[in-house]
């Protein structure tokens, strides 16, 4: 803590010339409105830091120390505006006279010169929260409770932290979406592998038991442990050219698709209906729709903000700080739109997870149809898969969802007309095939197992990369909360 | 003593280091990003926490 001994203020704010003897004590200044009470605080802050807090922050657009710190009669003569403080620094046990002119606010004269006092002044300059204006106190009292933390952040001059927190939240939202999709793909690949292996849970022991049982039929050595490079079909002659068709497995794949296919018309129906209802609300309320569209635009603008020029319209602002607050104020006005946006994205994500699951079921059957010479059905399934892949990206944006409204109302899965008939025909074809010998069954079982194990590993690798991103929001939860507590 | 904002950033980085779920290199990159005068963007944060390696998978 420092103690003020005296102050000499000349031509600063509303003060022409003023001497005050603080006597190192607590000092109260009183007077009618406009008499210059706050000007004294401004002058002291300026002498200590070279800044005037009241000329920065919200509601100070167009204000600056250079133009607004001098007395109104001395705006063109900033050299005449200066503050001289006699200050006692208890930590170093010294007093010094500090003089600072408005014409060169970054330059301070300390008499007698002292490195200790220069260091103390540098520390003070790092703490703009040392001054608290009446305006800030009043605003804190009057603000609605839900926005009080923002006011505290402003009072403590923690705007940079607030902006960092916004970037963290934006990253969190983006990463959660990516991570969720990755998890769904792993789940799909795992289910396909388990379906083939016929094991209830995917673990080393059960997987090796299923594989080694077939390896024993083929007199191949057992695999004792799973390693990163383990090949489940190791030892089979030319496995890359081996026949992948395993009748039992093929029938299981067909059943895995045909059983849920009965429920396809109602898949994620609740979520689709909710999206259609929300889109209907937006259509009926153009102001709400405009607010929501603006949200996306403003959110993007805040992300791109890097300087005093608006990234959305190129309008120049006095500084980036004002522009950021302007954009945030616009966002705050569209809370209802925000709720709808969150609901749309939440329901869109739920449908995306189902899309990934269906694509996972279609994959093995498409391959089976292709290998069995059923090119038309394979083509139908390939086209449907592509259709569903493109659907995923549309479910992640408001514009995409708006374009999908009719499809969501009519049945978003868009099941091809020929699907059920083609599935039935392929199933009959597979059933009619002669049962495979134990040897062929074991060979094809291992070949298919290796292929699906490879797919699962790839999905896991990809998910790990995404999880390493996905870890970000979880780890930031506490620090964000810490920032919230501070702010 | 540094500014309040720097103190918060330091506390944040210390919590990350204590969590042991972030490696030292990522914390170093994050520290560097937060110490720059330019404000961090979401893309910058995503880039830091996207690792090229994916670990060993059995």
């Amino acid at each position: 803590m420092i103690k003020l001994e005296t102050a000499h203020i000349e031509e600063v704010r509303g003060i022409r010339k003023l001497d005050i003897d603080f006597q190192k004590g607590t000092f109260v200044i009183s007077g009618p409105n406009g008499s210059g009470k706050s000007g004294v605080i401004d002058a002291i802050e300026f002498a200590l830091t070279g800044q005037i807090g009241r000329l920065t922050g919200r509601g100070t657009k167009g204000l600056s120390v250079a133009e607004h710190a001098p007395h109104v009669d001395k705006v063109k003569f900033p050299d005449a505006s200066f503050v001289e403080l006699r200050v006692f620094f208890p930590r170093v046990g010294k007093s010094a006279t500090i003089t600072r002119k408005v014409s060169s606010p970054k330059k301070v004269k300390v008499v007698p010169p002292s490195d200790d006092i220069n260091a103390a002044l540098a520390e003070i300059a790092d703490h703009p929260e040392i001054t608290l204006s009446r305006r800030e106190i009043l605003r804190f009292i009057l603000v609605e409770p839900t926005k009080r933390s923002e006011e505290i952040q402003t009072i403590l001059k923690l705007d940079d932290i607030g902006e960092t927190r916004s970037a963290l939240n934006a990253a969190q939202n983006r990463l959660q979406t990516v991570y969720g999709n990755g998890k769904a793909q792993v789940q799909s690949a795992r289910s396909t592998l388990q379906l083939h292996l016929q094991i209830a849970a995917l673990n080393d022991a059960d997987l090796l038991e299923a594989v080694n049982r077939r390896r024993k039929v083929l007199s191949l050595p057992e695999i004792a442990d799973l390693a990163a490079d383990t090949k489940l079909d190791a030892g089979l002659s030319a496995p890359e050219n081996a026949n992948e068709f395993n009748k039992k497995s093929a029938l299981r794949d067909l059943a895995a698709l045909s059983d849920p296919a009965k429920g396809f018309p109602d898949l994620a129906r609740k979520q689709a209906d909710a999206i259609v209802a929300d889109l209907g609300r937006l259509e009926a309320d153009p102001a709400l729709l405009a607010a929501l569209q603006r949200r996306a635009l403003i959110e993007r603008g805040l992300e791109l903000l890097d300087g005093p020029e608006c990234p959305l319209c190129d309008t120049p602002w006095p500084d980036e700080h004002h522009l950021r607050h302007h954009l945030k104020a616009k966002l705050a006005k569209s809370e209802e739109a925000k709720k709808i946006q969150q609901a749309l994205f939440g329901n869109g994500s739920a449908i995306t997870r189902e899309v990934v699951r269906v694509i996972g079921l279609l994959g093995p059957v498409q391959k089976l149809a292709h290998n069995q010479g059923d090119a038309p059905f394979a083509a139908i399934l390939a086209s449907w898969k592509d259709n569903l892949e493109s659907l995923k990206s549309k479910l992640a944006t408001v514009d995409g969802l708006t374009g999908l409204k009719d499809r969501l109302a009519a049945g978003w899965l868009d099941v091809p007309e020929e699907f059920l008939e083609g599935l039935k025909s392929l199933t009959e074809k597979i059933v009619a095939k002669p049962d495979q010998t134990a040897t062929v069954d074991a060979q094809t079982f291992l070949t298919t197992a290796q292929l699906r194990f490879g797919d699962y590993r790839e999905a896991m690798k990809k998910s790990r990369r995404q999880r390493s991103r996905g870890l970000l929001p979880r780890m930031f939860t506490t620090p964000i909360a810490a920032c919230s507590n501070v702010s | 003593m540094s500014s309040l904002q720097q103190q918060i950033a330091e506390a944040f980085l210390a919590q990350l280091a204590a969590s042991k779920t972030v490696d030292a290199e990522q914390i170093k990159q994050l520290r560097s990003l937060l110490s720059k005068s330019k404000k961090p963007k979401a893309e910058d944060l995503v880039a830091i926490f996207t690792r090229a390696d994916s670990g060993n998978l059995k």
Side-chain angles (χ1 to χ4, degrees):
Chain A
M1 183 183 286
I2 60 171
K3 295 190 174 182
L4 300 178
E5 296 180 8
T6 61
H8 174 78
I9 305 166
E10 268 195 52
E11 308 292 1
V12 174
R13 305 291 285 156
I15 300 167
R16 300 307 304 252
K17 186 183 278 192
L18 179 67
D19 284 289
I20 305 175
D21 185 359
F22 295 108
Q23 298 179 345
K24 297 185 188 174
T26 303
F27 205 85
V28 176
I29 302 170
S30 65
N33 284 342
S35 59
K37 302 182 295 296
S38 298
V40 175
I41 305 293
D42 293 341
I44 293 170
E45 183 188 5
F46 174 72
L48 292 172
T49 68
Q51 293 290 325
I52 296 179
R54 287 204 303 150
L55 299 183
T56 60
R58 267 181 284 175
T60 58
K61 185 179 175 184
L63 299 183
S64 68
V65 170
E67 289 185 23
H68 298 87
H71 187 274
V72 67
D73 290 341
K74 296 290 180 184
V75 171
K76 292 184 179 172
F77 308 98
D79 237 14
S81 304
F82 71 95
V83 184
E84 190 177 278
L85 290 183
R86 181 78 185 165
V87 185
F88 177 64
F89 293 82
R91 200 160 67 190
V92 295
K94 291 179 186 173
S95 287
T97 301
I98 298 162
T99 309
R100 203 186 291 260
K101 290 182 178 179
V102 171
S103 56
S104 50
K106 290 184 179 171
K107 195 175 164 189
V108 63
K109 184 180 170 190
V110 178
V111 178
S114 163
D115 289 343
D116 288 338
I117 291 176
N118 283 336
L121 288 176
E123 186 183 326
I124 292 168
D126 269 341
H127 287 270
E129 71 276 8
I130 58 168
T131 55
L132 189 54
S133 72
R134 183 180 56 178
R135 186 186 63 186
E136 287 170 325
I137 297 170
L138 286 175
R139 204 163 50 201
F140 176 69
I141 293 168
L142 296 173
V143 76
E144 54 189 280
T146 53
K147 297 196 174 154
R148 199 153 279 162
S149 67
E150 284 178 34
E151 287 302 326
I152 295 175
Q153 182 174 293
T154 303
I155 286 171
L156 293 177
K157 315 290 192 290
L158 293 174
D159 292 344
D160 286 353
I161 286 290
E163 286 159 15
T164 300
R165 189 170 48 189
S166 297
L168 292 171
N169 283 331
Q172 173 178 326
N173 292 338
R174 209 170 300 169
L175 295 171
Q176 276 180 337
T177 302
V178 173
Y179 182 45
N181 288 345
K183 276 203 321 189
Q185 278 165 352
V186 168
Q187 178 61 43
S188 173
R190 184 190 294 128
S191 299
T192 308
L193 177 60
Q194 283 178 238
L195 182 68
H196 176 69
L197 296 174
Q198 289 292 282
I199 55 178
L202 191 58
N203 55 58
D204 289 12
D206 289 352
L207 183 149
L208 287 176
E209 193 281 325
V211 167
N212 283 331
R213 202 169 353 125
R214 273 73 179 192
R215 291 183 69 83
K216 193 173 179 183
V217 172
L218 300 171
S219 301
L220 292 171
E222 284 194 358
I223 298 172
D225 293 300
L226 276 182
D229 57 352
T230 299
K231 299 270 186 204
L232 304 180
D233 58 354
L236 279 182
S237 56
E240 65 275 13
N241 298 323
N243 180 7
E244 294 169 16
F245 176 72
N246 180 283
K247 183 176 176 181
K248 291 176 189 169
S249 182
L251 289 172
R252 284 195 290 269
D253 288 339
L254 289 163
L257 181 59
S258 61
D259 290 346
K262 294 164 197 153
F264 277 172
D266 292 322
L267 197 59
R269 167 55 47 203
K270 191 176 151 193
Q271 287 84 356
D273 286 346
I275 291 174
V276 171
D278 281 336
L279 292 174
R281 273 184 69 197
L282 292 172
E283 282 177 1
D285 187 345
L288 191 60
L289 176 62
L292 193 141
Q293 288 167 335
R294 269 201 305 274
R295 277 195 75 81
L297 185 68
I298 296 169
E299 282 170 347
R300 188 69 187 138
L302 276 168
E303 279 184 33
L304 295 172
L305 192 54
D306 188 19
E309 199 164 84
C310 178
L312 304 175
C313 64
D314 293 338
T315 302
W317 283 70
D319 58 54
E320 183 181 327
H321 185 72
H322 286 107
L323 174 55
R324 188 174 291 278
H325 277 299
H326 172 72
L327 291 175
K328 281 186 175 175
K330 277 187 175 291
L331 268 189
K333 284 179 187 168
S334 56
E335 281 303 310
E336 190 179 355
K338 180 182 176 183
K339 283 179 190 164
I340 290 187
Q341 188 184 45
Q342 286 173 339
L344 285 172
F345 289 160
N347 288 316
S349 293
I351 295 176
T352 300
R353 286 193 289 276
E354 293 297 341
V355 169
V356 171
R357 191 172 69 86
V358 172
I359 289 173
L361 294 173
L362 292 176
V365 175
Q366 180 203 342
K367 198 169 183 180
L368 180 66
H370 174 77
N371 290 342
Q372 293 301 313
D374 192 346
F377 188 48
I380 288 168
L381 296 180
S383 170
W384 190 18
K385 270 177 65 186
D386 290 345
N387 178 319
L388 293 175
E389 287 288 354
S390 71
L391 181 66
K392 279 197 295 185
S393 59
K394 293 174 187 164
L395 289 165
T397 66
V398 174
D399 284 346
L401 286 167
T402 305
L404 288 173
K405 189 184 171 197
D406 290 343
R407 178 169 174 176
L408 288 165
W412 59 269
L413 200 50
D414 213 5
V415 181
E417 283 181 18
E418 311 88 338
F419 167 66
L420 286 176
E421 188 55 41
L423 187 62
K424 185 181 168 197
S425 169
L426 182 60
T427 304
E428 287 170 354
K429 191 173 179 179
I430 301 300
V431 168
K433 282 186 172 289
D435 289 340
Q436 292 171 314
T437 63
T439 303
V440 172
D441 176 72
Q443 283 175 340
T444 54
F445 179 92
L446 290 177
T447 311
T448 304
Q450 176 56 35
L451 284 171
R452 295 191 181 188
F453 192 45
D455 290 344
Y456 173 67
R457 279 174 159 163
E458 272 307 306
M460 281 292 286
K461 280 184 183 177
K462 196 173 169 190
S463 175
R464 280 191 178 195
R465 282 195 290 272
Q466 289 162 342
R467 190 172 58 192
S468 68
R469 301 169 185 169
L471 284 171
L472 174 67
R474 288 209 302 275
M475 289 183 302
F476 279 167
T477 302
T478 306
I480 287 173
C483 293
S484 301
N485 291 337
V486 172
S487 65
Chain B
M1 190 186 286
S2 53
S3 72
L4 268 184
Q5 304 202 104
Q6 287 169 315
Q7 289 174 43
I8 291 169
E10 280 304 323
F12 165 48
L13 291 166
Q15 282 188 30
L16 284 188
S19 75
K20 293 181 181 172
T21 47
V22 188
D23 64 43
E25 180 57 30
Q26 287 174 323
I27 291 177
K28 188 178 161 192
Q29 288 179 30
L30 191 58
R31 185 186 299 279
S32 168
L33 181 68
L34 295 180
S35 64
K36 285 179 185 168
S37 55
K38 197 174 169 186
K39 290 165 206 53
K41 305 273 182 214
E43 289 87 350
D44 301 330
L45 294 163
V46 169
I48 287 176
F49 285 87
T50 304
R51 293 187 296 219
D53 68 301
S54 55
N56 291 325
L57 179 70
K58 283 172 72 176

